[in-house]
Amino acid sequence: MDARREETVDVDQLLLVLVSGLASGAVYGLMGLGLVIIYRATDVVNFALASLATVGLYAALSLQDSGLPLLLAAVAAIIVTVTVGLGVRETVLRPLAHGDLLAALVMTMGVSLIAESVISTIWDDQPRLFPSLVEGSVSVGGAAIPTQSLLTIAVAAVAMGLVAYLFGRTTIGSAMRAVAESADTAQILGLGSQRIARIAWALGLGLAALAAFLYAPRSGLMPAVLGAPLFRAFAGIFLGGLTSMYGAVIGGLTVGVLDNLAATYVSAGYRDTFVFSFTILVLLIRPQGLFGERTFQRV
């Protein structure tokens, strides 16, 4: 009887770990998808994505404290993130010479530090609680699964499905794919590469803001709260393939599950070591990632 009860507890714990890992992975997948969309359209690896989304979170929390319903505050977070991010692109990144990828990379790092400093100045850097969209839990067997985790997975799945529909079934999605393949060819075909780049940035920033809004109730709110999710999202996109949107999603989910499994069954102190070691091992075997396209460059 005791052995059977212990086995049931172990199964319930594993279910909780897997659901929590999928919820975390959904956040990483959304952020990774935003990074890949921006990268494919503009060749910019946007290290400022997380900090810009954090600005949106703080603005949303201020509006919610002023009496705005939480769902409308979520919409406000996305609008603020997209608006500030597009302003950064137009004023800081667009004036750079075309193809100056290193300068763009350094610029986004600088923007990230500036955004965190602005947050600390306006809202201070003390940890804050962030409200959950839903409360309570759902009992599955003997496991009490947080409703917020299930909502995170569901919302992320819907968002990812809409992005897949956008790229696979709409004219603007076809245009974005054309620009990703060749900006010059897209220009010849009459597709405005700058217009497509703005749409890609808006979409990528919006996905990051949504991911941040789903993540913040679990972590609380600080200026650098999205630093760890950003690097895990990078692990996910390198694992899945830097140019693959499906790879970013699958890679993010994989990182989330592996991270939680390692924290629970190995050691919480070695969770990142385990995840990044696994990622490095995969890249040693398949440098382009699981779903990326192989390219040949001299390094």
Side-chain angles (χ1 to χ4, degrees):
M1 182 69 70
D2 290 340
R4 184 178 302 174
R5 182 179 300 172
E6 183 178 347
E7 181 180 347
T8 302
V9 171
D10 288 343
V11 172
D12 292 340
Q13 182 186 36
L14 178 61
L15 180 60
L16 282 171
V17 170
L18 290 177
V19 172
S20 179
L22 286 174
S24 297
V27 170
Y28 308 152
L30 282 174
M31 293 190 71
L33 187 57
L35 288 165
V36 169
I37 289 172
I38 291 174
Y39 175 76
R40 289 189 60 180
T42 62
D43 286 334
V44 173
V45 179
N46 188 3
F47 272 96
L49 193 75
S51 297
L52 293 172
T54 306
V55 172
L57 280 183
Y58 272 92
L61 186 60
S62 296
L63 291 172
Q64 198 263 342
D65 289 342
S66 300
L68 190 71
L70 191 57
L71 285 178
L72 292 181
V75 175
I78 294 173
I79 293 173
V80 169
T81 300
V82 171
T83 302
V84 174
L86 287 177
V88 167
R89 179 188 179 270
E90 295 299 314
T91 58
V92 177
L93 294 175
R94 189 177 173 186
L96 294 176
H98 179 69
D100 198 346
L101 304 184
L102 180 59
L105 181 66
V106 173
M107 285 288 194
T108 60
M109 290 180 178
V111 168
S112 177
L113 295 174
I114 292 170
E116 290 179 11
S117 178
V118 169
I119 290 170
S120 297
T121 301
I122 297 176
W123 288 284
D124 74 51
D125 56 0
Q126 296 302 311
R128 301 186 182 195
L129 294 176
F130 197 88
S132 298
L133 291 171
V134 291
E135 301 289 347
S137 61
V138 176
S139 295
V140 179
I145 300 174
T147 309
Q148 177 72 27
S149 295
L150 296 176
L151 180 67
T152 297
I153 295 170
V155 171
V158 170
M160 293 169 183
L162 290 174
V163 171
Y165 179 83
L166 173 69
F167 278 87
R169 301 283 184 173
T170 67
T171 302
I172 191 67
S174 299
M176 292 173 73
R177 290 203 313 273
V179 170
E181 294 298 327
S182 171
D184 294 334
T185 301
Q187 197 72 38
I188 293 172
L189 294 175
L191 304 174
S193 59
Q194 288 301 323
R195 176 170 170 264
I196 297 300
R198 292 188 193 100
I199 294 173
W201 267 70
L203 182 57
L205 289 161
L207 289 171
L210 179 60
F213 206 87
L214 295 171
Y215 179 78
R218 301 170 58 188
S219 63
L221 196 54
M222 295 181 295
V225 67
L226 295 179
L230 177 67
F231 281 102
R232 288 172 186 150
F234 271 115
I237 62 176
F238 283 114
L239 180 62
L242 183 58
T243 59
S244 171
M245 289 187 288
Y246 292 108
V249 172
I250 295 172
L253 292 172
T254 301
V255 167
V257 171
L258 288 177
D259 182 65
N260 268 39
L261 287 172
T264 303
Y265 296 107
V266 181
S267 170
Y270 290 96
R271 60 195 305 172
D272 287 334
T273 302
F274 182 84
V275 168
F276 283 94
S277 295
F278 177 79
T279 303
I280 291 170
L281 179 61
V282 171
L283 293 177
L284 287 174
I285 299 171
R286 187 175 172 83
Q288 70 271 35
L290 296 175
F291 300 94
E293 297 179 358
R294 189 174 182 86
T295 58
F296 294 91
Q297 294 180 337
R298 186 174 63 185
V299 296

